[in-house]
């Protein structure tokens, strides 16, 4: 697979016969995503995990004008769009060449598990351990419980790559989600996302001992092959 960082939680995954784009918001690719679509020249599936502005940009719907071989898979909290598939939590959708399954987000919408060309890719959307300093402890405990229960649906599922939030607004607590995930799943490639406000959290992640060590795949402006 070849992985591309777009911006924030936006990433693209190129497999042997497909291009998958998740949670486009903005991008820093030369020429933007349209240039990537032209360069790759493969059938494209575009995913949006929920309706928040930093995960769903309606600009994705214009790509079909120039590249008609595009399929859209949108969380069902996004209003219906003609020609787009909508999917809710804990559901499965069969498409040509790939299978899409979902988990329930701890914020809004869904997380995606996509099997394609023999690879299994997890994109969390906003399914994360949202522990906030200053929140009532009861709320933080409820979030912890919800996150751990949802990840039980991945028990025994081997993932080839996982895109996981490390939100810098949570400070040190922003690593709780990736730490728990890494301790309970053998995925060899853990890609941090959702940090655009402050990428310095990536250095914190590198320097902090944790179960992710040896498995981090930090993306930059260049595609990474895994």
């Amino acid at each position: 697979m070849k992985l591309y960082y777009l911006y924030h939680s936006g990433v693209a995954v190129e497999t042997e016969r497909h291009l998958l784009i998740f949670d486009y918001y903005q991008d820093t690719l030369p020429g933007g995503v349209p240039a990537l679509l032209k360069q790759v020249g493969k059938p494209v599936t575009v995913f949006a995990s929920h309706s928040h502005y930093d995960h769903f940009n309606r600009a994705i719907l214009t790509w079909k004008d120039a590249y008609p071989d595009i399929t859209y898979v949108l969380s069902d909290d996004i209003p219906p769009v003609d020609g787009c598939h909508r999917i809710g939590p804990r559901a499965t959708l069969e498409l040509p060449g790939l299978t899409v399954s979902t988990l329930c987000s701890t914020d809004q919408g869904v997380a995606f598990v996509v099997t394609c060309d023999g690879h299994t890719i997890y994109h969390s959307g906003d399914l994360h351990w949202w522990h906030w300093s200053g929140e009532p402890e009861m709320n933080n405990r409820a979030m912890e419980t919800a996150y751990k229960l949802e990840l039980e649906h991945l028990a025994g599922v081997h993932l080839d790559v996982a895109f996981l939030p490390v939100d810098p607004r949570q400070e040190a607590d922003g690593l709780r989600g990736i730490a728990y995930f890494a301790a309970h799943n053998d995925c060899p490639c853990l890609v941090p996302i959702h940090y655009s406000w402050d990428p310095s959290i990536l250095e914190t992640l590198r320097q902090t001992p944790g179960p992710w060590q040896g498995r981090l795949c930090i993306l930059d402006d260049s595609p990474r092959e895994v």
Side-chain angles (χ1 to χ4, degrees):
M1 289 182 290
K2 189 178 290 186
L3 311 182
Y4 301 82
Y5 177 66
L6 304 180
Y7 185 71
H8 194 51
S9 293
V11 292
V13 180
E14 182 183 352
T15 67
E16 288 82 352
R17 294 183 293 274
H18 293 268
L19 179 66
L20 314 176
I21 297 175
F22 295 90
D23 281 17
Y24 176 86
Y25 163 41
Q26 300 177 21
D27 70 60
T28 57
L29 291 175
V33 167
L36 179 63
L37 301 181
K38 183 177 181 180
Q39 168 193 325
V40 170
K42 298 175 181 178
V44 180
T45 307
V46 180
F47 300 85
S49 66
H50 60 292
S51 63
H52 289 169
Y53 76 95
D54 58 335
H55 293 259
F56 173 59
N57 183 336
R58 294 187 68 86
I60 64 176
L61 304 175
T62 68
W63 299 339
K64 195 171 183 67
D65 297 338
Y67 301 95
D69 197 6
I70 292 183
T71 300
Y72 295 94
V73 180
L74 311 180
S75 169
D76 67 0
D77 69 299
I78 297 171
V81 178
D82 288 346
C84 297
H85 299 277
R86 298 173 76 234
I87 190 168
R90 299 180 193 158
T92 298
L93 176 65
E94 297 286 348
L95 295 171
L98 58 122
T99 299
V100 182
S101 298
T102 58
L103 302 179
C104 184
S105 176
T106 47
D107 184 5
Q108 189 166 320
V110 302
F112 293 109
V113 180
V114 181
T115 302
C116 176
D117 293 337
H119 310 289
T120 303
I121 300 128
Y122 172 70
H123 190 284
S124 59
D126 270 353
L127 173 53
H128 178 49
W129 185 337
W130 296 105
H131 183 106
W132 296 102
S133 177
E135 277 285 306
E137 189 56 30
M138 179 176 65
N139 293 358
N140 281 329
R141 284 200 303 270
M143 177 59 65
E144 175 184 356
T145 298
Y147 180 69
K148 291 179 177 180
L149 283 174
E150 202 57 32
L151 288 195
E152 287 183 7
H153 293 276
L154 294 177
V157 177
H158 175 73
L159 304 170
D160 295 294
V161 59
F163 297 97
L164 303 164
V166 290
D167 195 310
R169 298 172 300 175
Q170 296 177 274
E171 299 178 334
D173 292 319
L175 304 185
R176 287 175 180 256
I178 194 172
Y180 186 83
F181 185 97
H184 291 83
N185 194 283
D186 65 357
C187 180
C189 181
L190 307 175
V191 182
I193 56 172
H194 210 278
Y195 55 80
S196 63
W197 298 284
D198 184 4
S200 68
I201 196 169
L202 300 179
E203 193 58 34
T204 301
L205 190 60
R206 287 189 182 100
Q207 295 179 5
T208 302
W212 54 77
Q213 295 295 349
R215 294 191 280 160
L216 284 180
C217 300
I218 294 177
L219 303 182
D220 54 25
D221 293 340
S222 301
R224 175 163 179 169
E225 293 191 6
V226 295

